[in-house]
Amino acid sequence: MVGRSKRRRVDDGKGSALNAAAAPHAPTVFGDVPLAPATREDQKTWKGFCEIESEPAFFNVMLRTLGVEGLKVLEVYGMDEEPLAMMPKPVHGLVFLFPWKEEDADKQELSCPDAVWFANQTSSNACASVALLNIVNNIPGAKLGEHLTQFKNFTRDFPPALRGDQVGNFDFLKSVHNSFARKMDMLNGDLALKNEAMASKKKSRGGAANDDEAGFHFIAFVPIGGVVWQLDGLARQPRRLGSFEGDDWLKVACPVIREMMDQPRKREQDIQFSLFAVVQDPIVALRQEMAETLRIHRVVRGLLGHLNPEEVAPGPGLTALGLADEQGGAICGLTEADIAEAEAKGVEEAMAAAERKDAAELRRVATDQAKYLPALASQIREEMASQQADDDRANARRHDYTPMVREWLTMLADHGVLRGLLEKHGV
């Protein structure tokens, strides 16, 4: 089983953007009220990347905000055959969170193959975004949206390190990533960079830096052209794990992940991990199936009406199925135009039955198709509810509770309660 860790991500301390933010003469981003919530302008002008917890909802919201269509991030609860078989197919990649340890360079390629889009992580705390980019930019035919498509094309011929620098300078990506940044996240990020710089300086003078705590880090596993690759932004080059046939690439990746999970356990460390899968969003296939089903259903009912106008009424619309508002506006990404353009199997057979004036056959087809509509609509609504739940969870994460906590502590102090609590707990 794979647990969910909320611990700190790895901090490589090499990000030029954060170094610029920590420069002695860098302008203050936050103004004169450190405990005031961060504004959207604060998030846009901050030079760093905030830490992002290992929560699939956050990754899903990031993908949708970036403009990526048709993909969904799900948590993987186990690497046995049964839980893997239950995941929607195809699985385009895996995101693994683990306590990072530098890998032997001999396991990596000498250079990045042309067929692999791989970016290094050159900015602290950017590993979540880098892992996502290293997956979605290697999915054939992925709908990346305008900004990511331009970025992928622009960096197509760049080496991994230069791609990583461009990630750090990609304002659109940074804006989406840092939409989760609260004021304290930013202050902690700058403090961590300062502490790391001091530790590096101490080490260069012969002192001993504290390396006891391993930083947690996101990496990607991706199938590309029949080969499984481990794409770790903190590694110089990709690591080739092995070849596979068909779609069964997880049998190559999972043993490597298990081995990485076993390393801390061998050192008797109780550490949790997180494993996510980037899959085809189920709502894509459900929308297509709904469009095709409604298309054939309406065609058949229309043909029946032509044979006998008094026998049959028009079929249900999207509003009746709960997939459009009262004005007919689409609320699930499925429109009347999609239905009209759907290439539904069975239309030609229905037309032939109409030419034969076989009303019984048309009634049978209409009845069969109608049986699927409520179930399909229910599944689409469930996926829509899942997206809304992701949005709600992301909005809760973005909310800055610092002013509320400060006000609460102030009230406790004003009423003489805070001192007693501190003394009780020996603070």
Side-chain angles (χ1 to χ4, degrees):
M1 300 292 287
V2 179
R4 177 176 298 169
S5 172
K6 303 295 184 184
R7 298 187 61 182
R8 184 169 63 85
R9 304 296 174 268
V10 73
D11 209 353
D12 69 289
K14 300 177 182 178
S16 58
L18 279 179
N19 288 333
H25 303 293
T28 301
V29 175
F30 306 122
D32 299 326
V33 189
L35 292 179
T39 66
R40 192 69 183 110
E41 187 63 25
D42 291 338
Q43 294 171 336
K44 289 181 179 180
T45 54
W46 187 51
K47 300 300 183 182
F49 282 83
C50 71
E51 295 179 351
I52 293 182
E53 293 86 353
S54 54
E55 169 57 61
F58 303 162
F59 284 70
N60 283 322
V61 170
M62 287 176 62
L63 285 177
R64 291 201 299 271
T65 309
L66 288 169
V68 179
E69 299 180 22
L71 299 178
K72 185 173 184 177
V73 180
L74 300 174
E75 185 152 16
V76 180
Y77 293 101
M79 288 182 286
D80 296 329
E81 184 175 349
E82 184 176 352
L84 292 179
M86 294 174 61
M87 289 193 300
K89 302 297 187 296
V91 178
H92 296 294
L94 296 175
V95 179
F96 181 49
L97 175 72
F98 72 114
W100 185 79
K101 183 179 180 182
E102 188 171 1
E103 190 176 62
D104 187 352
D106 292 339
K107 296 181 179 180
Q108 304 167 20
E109 297 294 294
L110 295 177
S111 62
C112 184
D114 293 338
V116 178
W117 194 99
F118 170 62
N120 290 141
Q121 179 191 334
T122 61
S123 298
S124 298
N125 297 326
C127 56
S129 287
V130 171
L132 282 179
L133 289 178
N134 282 337
I135 292 178
V136 300
N137 283 334
N138 286 298
I139 300 175
K143 296 181 179 179
L144 301 178
E146 177 184 1
H147 296 282
L148 286 191
T149 298
Q150 291 177 354
F151 180 78
K152 179 181 178 180
N153 293 336
F154 176 67
T155 59
R156 186 181 304 277
D157 298 323
F158 289 7
L162 187 52
R163 283 182 183 143
D165 287 339
Q166 293 303 312
V167 170
N169 295 321
F170 189 10
D171 290 339
F172 175 67
L173 173 70
K174 188 179 293 185
S175 175
V176 173
H177 183 114
N178 284 339
S179 67
F180 290 93
R182 298 166 296 200
K183 177 67 68 65
M184 199 58 65
D185 297 325
M186 299 179 185
L187 296 174
N188 285 336
D190 290 342
L191 179 61
L193 179 62
K194 178 182 177 181
N195 291 339
E196 184 143 350
M198 293 177 64
S200 178
K201 187 176 181 180
K202 179 180 178 181
K203 190 174 182 180
S204 67
R205 292 178 177 175
N210 183 13
D211 295 327
D212 291 340
E213 182 180 355
F216 277 69
H217 177 56
F218 289 111
I219 65 174
F221 294 85
V222 191
I224 305 171
V227 176
V228 180
W229 295 90
Q230 177 181 314
L231 304 182
D232 179 353
L234 294 182
R236 291 183 179 274
Q237 301 293 345
R239 176 186 173 187
R240 178 189 174 111
L241 300 182
S243 302
F244 68 98
E245 295 183 358
D247 297 325
D248 199 8
W249 66 274
L250 295 176
K251 288 185 177 180
V252 178
C254 286
V256 177
I257 296 174
R258 288 192 186 96
E259 181 181 355
M260 297 173 72
M261 295 172 67
D262 286 340
Q263 293 304 315
R265 294 168 182 164
K266 292 178 180 178
R267 299 190 295 269
E268 297 183 351
Q269 294 176 307
D270 184 18
I271 294 177
Q272 292 183 324
F273 304 85
S274 290
L275 182 62
F276 303 149
V278 180
V279 302
Q280 192 74 18
D281 193 339
I283 202 170
V284 175
L286 290 171
R287 285 170 181 158
Q288 181 178 352
E289 187 175 359
M290 173 62 80
E292 293 174 355
T293 303
L294 280 172
R295 167 78 170 143
I296 183 62
H297 186 256
R298 292 179 181 182
V299 167
V300 170
R301 292 177 71 91
L303 293 172
L304 273 172
H306 182 72
L307 292 179
N308 184 1
E310 298 179 356
E311 180 179 353
V312 63
L318 291 174
T319 300
L321 291 168
L323 302 179
D325 57 29
E326 293 299 327
Q327 290 73 40
I331 58 176
C332 69
L334 182 64
T335 66
E336 292 292 342
D338 296 327
I339 298 170
E341 297 170 2
E343 298 180 359
K345 298 178 180 179
V347 171
E348 293 182 0
E349 290 83 349
M351 298 292 289
E355 290 180 4
R356 298 192 307 269
K357 297 185 178 181
D358 190 348
E361 175 63 14
L362 291 175
R363 291 190 196 97
R364 184 193 65 78
V365 174
T367 301
D368 288 345
Q369 297 298 320
K371 289 190 298 186
Y372 298 119
L373 293 175
L376 279 174
S378 176
Q379 293 179 68
I380 292 176
R381 289 195 297 270
E382 287 179 6
E383 290 299 325
M384 292 164 55
S386 175
Q387 290 184 0
Q388 184 60 53
D390 288 345
D391 291 337
D392 293 341
R393 190 180 292 270
N395 288 335
R397 167 61 175 82
R398 289 167 172 150
H399 186 75
D400 195 337
Y401 297 92
T402 303
M404 181 200 73
V405 174
R406 182 175 184 272
E407 184 66 23
W408 177 57
L409 291 174
T410 300
M411 293 174 64
L412 289 177
D414 290 344
H415 288 78
V417 178
L418 184 58
R419 180 182 296 275
L421 290 174
L422 293 176
E423 292 175 350
K424 178 180 179 180
H425 293 280
V427 178

